[in-house]
Amino acid sequence: VQLQASGGGLVQPGGSLRLSCAASGSIFSINEMGWYRQAPGNQRDLVARIISGETTVYRDSVKGRFTISRDNAKNTVYLQMNSPKPEDTAVYYCKAQIRTRPTLVYNYYWGQGTQVTVSS
């Protein structure tokens, strides 16, 4: 199983950016998908996550600005970042809870990370 994240880059404060993360490989089902971020010197923190039933959870600082969504047919999760702020600058990682066979338990997999820099 592989998670490939894309869409990072440089964005101006108040602009917008969309991150994508596609899961591939031997996938039977995906339960939870999410985005985390890590700034230099900080721990990796949750940004947003979405459960298979479309339930979403956001960290307080991004509520109303970021939107997480998923395309189950494509095994892909998105993070729409609107009105980003300099403090949103970090490496963003995707994470997915995947079951590779119906008889196995779910395991967590991480993507490789994509840099997001918010600066004018």
Side-chain angles (χ1 to χ4, degrees):
V1 174
Q2 289 187 326
L3 271 65
Q4 182 68 43
S6 61
L10 174 65
V11 60
Q12 293 186 343
S16 63
L17 197 67
R18 191 174 84 152
L19 306 182
S20 300
C21 177
S24 62
S26 180
I27 298 172
F28 176 75
S29 63
I30 301 178
N31 184 29
E32 179 179 313
M33 303 185 84
W35 289 96
Y36 293 72
R37 68 187 184 189
Q38 187 169 21
N42 291 349
Q43 65 181 17
R44 191 175 298 185
D45 293 324
L46 172 71
V47 177
R49 59 190 177 97
I50 182 167
I51 317 301
S52 60
E54 307 307 323
T55 299
T56 57
V57 176
Y58 295 92
R59 69 180 297 110
D60 288 345
S61 63
V62 307
K63 287 181 180 177
R65 299 187 297 119
F66 293 6
T67 302
I68 189 170
S69 61
R70 63 191 284 177
D71 185 332
N72 292 326
K74 296 181 179 180
N75 292 332
T76 299
V77 62
Y78 305 97
L79 185 69
Q80 179 66 43
M81 305 171 62
N82 294 332
S83 301
K85 303 175 181 180
E87 51 264 42
D88 294 319
T89 295
V91 177
Y92 283 69
Y93 298 88
C94 57
K95 179 181 176 182
Q97 191 182 26
I98 296 172
R99 188 165 53 172
T100 57
R101 294 182 181 179
T103 56
L104 298 180
V105 299
Y106 283 99
N107 286 309
Y108 284 103
Y109 297 84
W110 288 93
Q112 85 284 8
T114 184
Q115 176 70 47
V116 173
T117 302
V118 184
S119 175
S120 55

